[in-house]
Amino acid sequence: MTAVTAPARTSPHVPARPRRALDWRLRFGVLSLIWGFSFLLIKVGTDGYAPFQVTLGRLLFGTAVLAVAMVVKRERLPRGARTWAHLTVAAFLLNALPFSLFAYAELTIPSTLAGICNATSPLWGMALSLVALSEDRPTRLRVAGLGLGFLGVLTVLGAWQGFHGLDARGTALALFASLSYPIGWIYLRRTLANTGSSALSMTGGQLLLATAQLAVVTPLFTTFPSRFPLVPLLATAALGALGTGLALLIQYGLVTEVGPTTAQMVTYFIPVIATAAGVAILGEPLSWSTPVGAAIVLAGAALTQARARS
């Protein structure tokens, strides 16, 4: 889940739409399931390994999948010092930072809450667009969506009962993780919109850099595991290979075939699946305010993505 909730970034040279063996609706559903289950996999992974170790493993497996795809498609990594400098920042904002924050957040909050916090990313993007993207002028409908989404967040967190039972630190980390995604996408739009490289090539380089960043940071804050519990290890491998590597490949195909607007609608299914998985598989508690607040958050997020009619 590089940017499970960010608008899909397309290459400046979009290829002709190929015929697909699997209908795009099925691939859309698979992508929703993969990203929705990612929060459960993070929770299971951190049961056996430190958050930085889970993130490093996730990036290693995700980068490996993209590397194989690049070899098969005979794609090369981007070139140019300027491009790599900007990709370094993007790797931090879109991968290393949010992946690590979610992993640390889930030490103290349920995976259901983490998945819902992730759905606030479009709300953060809307708020940032007010000051960062002058060409993306907000409409009254989109501003209303921002307010509605904020109301939904307060509902999920139980503001009327003083946030009772809520781990403030873990929730804040998850919300900051979701904030990191739109900051990263705004940075990409301003610096790497027209590099001439494909989306696969750019993201392959981005994940490679994020892996290098975590490879430096992880030994400084963690000790080498004395044992390797199997289930958390498999969860981390699945999180990287499926939730990061394969998911991005599916997303590329969807963007090419049906366009970024339709492809990014997967954002609205992720918290639903994350909540169902957390409750059904991990036995996490669920009060009425969680699904109701999540529905309000998603409604607000949908409004923030609305475009004025020409």
Side-chain angles (χ1 to χ4, degrees), residues 16-36 73 242 245-259 262-267 269-270 273:
R17 296 181 181 180
R19 295 181 65 86
R20 301 282 180 174
L22 193 62
D23 185 81
W24 74 266
R25 296 170 186 84
L26 292 177
R27 286 179 279 124
F28 184 96
V30 170
L31 183 60
S32 301
L33 286 171
I34 290 174
W35 274 341
K73 296 186 177 183
L242 301 178
L246 179 61
L248 287 174
L249 294 177
I250 295 174
Q251 185 190 38
Y252 297 148
L254 288 174
V255 170
T256 300
E257 187 170 348
V258 299
T262 300
Q264 75 181 25
M265 291 296 291
V266 70
T267 298
F269 292 87
I270 293 173
I273 295 170

Side-chain angles (χ1 to χ4, degrees), residues 68 73 91 110 150 166 168 185 192 202 217 225 235 263 265 271 281 306 310:
V68 171
K73 296 186 177 183
F150 180 69
L166 179 72
W185 283 104
L192 293 171
M202 294 290 285
V217 170
M265 291 296 291
I281 299 176
S310 56

Side-chain angles (χ1 to χ4, degrees), residues 60-221:
L60 280 171
F61 283 104
T63 301
V65 170
L66 289 189
V68 171
M70 290 179 65
V71 170
V72 171
K73 296 186 177 183
R74 298 181 179 180
E75 295 248 7
R76 294 183 177 181
L77 288 170
R79 297 181 178 180
R82 176 184 174 276
T83 296
W84 281 97
H86 289 311
L87 279 178
T88 300
V89 178
F92 175 75
L93 292 173
L94 291 172
N95 304 114
L97 179 61
F99 290 1
S100 299
L101 288 176
F102 273 123
Y104 270 100
E106 290 199 41
L107 291 177
T108 56
I109 67 172
S111 64
T112 54
L113 179 55
I116 294 171
C117 287
N118 181 76
T120 64
S121 191
L123 303 177
W124 291 118
M126 172 61 193
L128 290 171
S129 72
L130 296 176
V131 295
L133 293 174
S134 58
E135 72 274 12
D136 191 16
R137 296 181 181 276
T139 62
R140 291 182 179 179
L141 185 63
R142 298 179 71 192
V143 172
L146 181 61
L148 184 63
F150 180 69
L151 176 63
V153 171
L154 293 179
T155 302
V156 170
L157 301 183
W160 66 90
Q161 55 185 5
F163 306 105
H164 178 70
L166 179 72
D167 183 82
R169 178 178 176 273
T171 304
L173 290 176
L175 290 172
F176 277 123
S178 69
L179 169 62
S180 182
Y181 288 128
I183 292 176
W185 283 104
I186 290 173
Y187 181 84
L188 280 180
R189 287 176 61 177
R190 293 197 163 192
T191 60
L192 293 171
N194 297 293
T195 63
S197 298
S198 70
L200 176 58
S201 174
M202 294 290 285
T203 306
Q206 181 181 308
L207 282 186
L208 180 62
L209 288 167
T211 303
Q213 291 170 359
L214 262 294
V216 171
V217 170
T218 301
L220 299 178
F221 293 94

